[in-house]
Amino acid sequence: MRTLLIAAASIAMTACTPSEPPATPAAEAAAPKLMTWDDLTNRTRPVPDETISYGSDPLQVADLWRPEGDGPFPTVLMIHGGCWQTDIADRTLMAWIADDLRQRGIAVWNIDYRGVDREGGGYPGTYLDVANAAKALRDNAARLKLDIDPLVAIGHSAGGHLALWLAGQGKLPEGSPLRVSDPVIPDTIISQGGLPDLKLAATPPGSGCGTEVIDRISGGGKYAETSVPELAPLGARQVLVNGLNDRIIPTDYATRYEAAMRAKGDDVRVRFVPDSGHVELVSPETAAWGVAVDEIEKALGRK
């Protein structure tokens, strides 16, 4: 997985900066040293307390990270990224920040889902997986002593899109194959370097994910069902946390989304983190993760 993540990041850096001139020695000296995926994944990976299935496919599971004690525990629904492709990333990439929240007394429901590169994934399967994983959290909350009122959803990269999409389920067109009965709608969504506007991401050169995968996750351009701005207003609080030095997700994805959603009446805030790229967003010792924790604590009423 690490090799694929590094390859994807390398492609992204090229795709997002096609016309940049060669860096001068002074510019190189001034540029921050960003984390690589190996910096994160080569360390010992913590383990969850339990893995729970919400479907029959091996990817239709959620890892539970449960703090010590009797509970009930405030709970975060967590969604990994990886350009919506299972070959690039799965839920284990979020293990370190899930463990960090567990140590802070916050439970985590860290879900997996079928990517566009898996049978049954893409449109509508990926969306149905995420929606049903959220419903499974609600179904299991009392038994596991999880407090999901309020519910915070956080997603990294492509997972940021899916977390925000969860909040827009109630606006799906009648007859959409993405609809589920009695959907779970998060109260606050935190997108970490996300790609919420699929129409924007489909415009060349797009993001580090490329435009072909956007076509697949959007069902061939069914943006009215898949691109979050088309579902606005969501009615939920939304925070976008982005690294100012992210070479995979252009920073204007966040600012343009903020402007579009605010114009439709939504509560949206962007928080840029200096000297941070894409990996820092899911690394527990970083300032970028500290910003996300701050927003989680606020949303849960803990500060």
Side-chain angles (χ1 to χ4, degrees), residues 190-280:
I190 300 168
S191 168
Q192 303 171 286
L195 301 87
D197 188 338
L198 295 188
K199 291 176 74 173
L200 176 61
T203 305
S207 69
C209 292
T211 56
E212 180 180 349
V213 72
I214 301 297
D215 185 66
R216 295 170 70 185
I217 194 62
S218 69
K222 295 181 175 67
Y223 298 122
E225 302 167 71
T226 61
S227 187
V228 181
E230 304 300 311
L231 301 172
L234 307 185
R237 179 171 174 267
Q238 303 153 59
V239 182
L240 280 64
V241 180
N242 287 67
L244 274 176
N245 305 94
D246 196 326
R247 301 290 298 275
I248 295 178
I249 305 301
T251 55
D252 74 334
Y253 279 20
T255 53
R256 292 174 68 171
Y257 177 84
E258 178 187 36
M261 298 300 276
R262 282 189 172 184
K264 295 180 179 181
D266 265 343
D267 178 5
V268 184
R269 181 186 180 196
V270 175
R271 295 188 65 177
F272 285 120
V273 186
D275 301 332
S276 297
H278 209 57
V279 185
E280 282 81 358

